[in-house]
Amino acid sequence: DVKVTQSSRYLVKRTGEKVFLECVQDMDHENMFWYRQDPGLGLRLIYFSYDVKMKEKGDIPEGYSVSREKKERFSLILESASTNQTSMYLCASSTGGGNQPQHFGDGTRLSIL
Amino acid sequence: KQEVTQIPAALSVPEGENLVLNCSFTDSAIYNLQWFRQDPGKGLTSLLLIQSSQREQTSGRLNASLDKSSGRSTLYIAASQPGDSATYLCAVTRGGRQLTFGSGTQLTVLP
């Protein structure tokens, strides 16, 4: 079974801090994704990556950056956290060109105070 | 811009009932459609993936259909159980890999 692991289930940070969310997958998947999920807005794509060291903006990239130095790891970075980035963050991975399902981690519930 | 809608937003049924969840999308140029399940406070679990060339997929008590021309998909759950209680999300793949999600249907199966 595919295992997508997010480093923290719950995280509390302060406004202005630099925040790192880590995601690791164990199935050698090429594609990795970061989403945020908010009540009433559903899941929205922040960034995704098709390969090591490459990244593409999703629908809501503002205020975020990503890093993919190794194939199995995809990091989401909040450069200067703000209260409107309080959310549930979900990481996913998949293989192939889009004809395979995406597999999700359990999520990180991030609160910015 | 692709929009995905799921109706109803919430559904409550007694145990043992067969039920249908609905998903509609505005742009029929999709790569595939996925149905997911999400338990409270958890990530998403992939249930079924239907390629754009397929009409349906089955897994156990679940059957998903796809009608691209009308922009609709249904998820049929047979003989529902309390353990089926969760939020069910559909998502369409655009541009090869990116998903656009619906807002989900929250299902409660009463014992």
Side-chain angles (χ1 to χ4, degrees):
Chain A
D1 266 0
V2 177
K3 183 75 173 173
V4 179
T5 303
Q6 295 185 231
S7 54
S8 305
R9 289 299 314 276
Y10 301 94
L11 206 54
V12 180
K13 297 290 183 182
R14 296 208 173 272
T15 304
E17 280 193 65
K18 191 169 186 176
V19 180
F20 294 84
L21 302 183
E22 306 287 346
C23 175
V24 177
Q25 50 92 7
D26 66 356
M27 285 300 291
D28 202 37
H29 283 174
E30 303 85 31
N31 311 313
M32 296 189 75
F33 308 83
W34 274 106
Y35 297 88
R36 65 177 282 177
Q37 185 176 29
D38 301 287
L41 296 175
L43 276 95
R44 294 177 290 167
L45 181 64
I46 305 171
Y47 267 97
F48 58 102
S49 169
Y50 295 158
D51 202 351
V52 176
K53 294 193 184 294
M54 82 70 65
K55 58 187 177 185
E56 293 283 345
K57 292 180 180 179
D59 299 317
I60 51 163
E62 297 78 20
Y64 303 94
S65 63
V66 290
S67 172
R68 191 158 182 209
E69 296 295 319
K70 294 185 178 181
K71 192 174 185 180
E72 67 270 18
R73 185 180 297 270
F74 193 35
S75 303
L76 180 69
I77 304 158
L78 286 66
E79 296 290 345
S80 178
S82 63
T83 55
N84 63 13
Q85 292 178 309
T86 291
S87 186
M88 172 72 127
Y89 289 87
L90 292 161
C91 174
S93 73
S94 71
T95 189
N99 60 349
Q100 296 296 322
Q102 289 191 14
H103 299 270
F104 282 76
D106 279 341
T108 295
R109 187 163 294 282
L110 175 65
S111 296
I112 307 296
L113 305 178
Chain B
K1 180 188 172 186
Q2 177 75 272
E3 291 184 3
V4 181
T5 304
Q6 291 185 249
I7 295 173
L11 181 63
S12 185
V13 299
E15 182 177 5
E17 269 202 13
N18 303 324
L19 58 100
V20 174
L21 305 181
N22 296 295
C23 172
S24 61
F25 47 95
T26 54
D27 186 348
S28 62
I30 63 169
Y31 207 66
N32 57 47
L33 184 143
Q34 277 189 257
W35 281 94
F36 293 90
R37 168 188 173 134
Q38 186 175 31
D39 293 291
K42 295 280 195 173
L44 280 64
T45 301
S46 180
L47 297 173
L48 290 164
L49 181 148
I50 311 176
Q51 304 292 351
S52 61
S53 58
Q54 296 176 320
R55 295 292 298 220
E56 64 179 305
Q57 281 285 341
T58 299
S59 177
R61 294 183 293 109
L62 305 179
N63 175 275
S65 69
L66 174 64
D67 184 342
K68 261 184 58 173
S69 60
S70 67
R72 293 183 182 181
S73 176
T74 61
L75 179 67
Y76 174 83
I77 302 176
S80 58
Q81 303 169 359
D84 295 329
S85 298
T87 297
Y88 291 81
L89 296 139
C90 71
V92 297
T93 303
R94 67 190 199 274
R97 294 176 177 90
Q98 302 174 62
L99 292 177
T100 300
F101 282 87
S103 52
T105 294
Q106 186 174 351
L107 173 66
T108 302
V109 181
L110 303 169

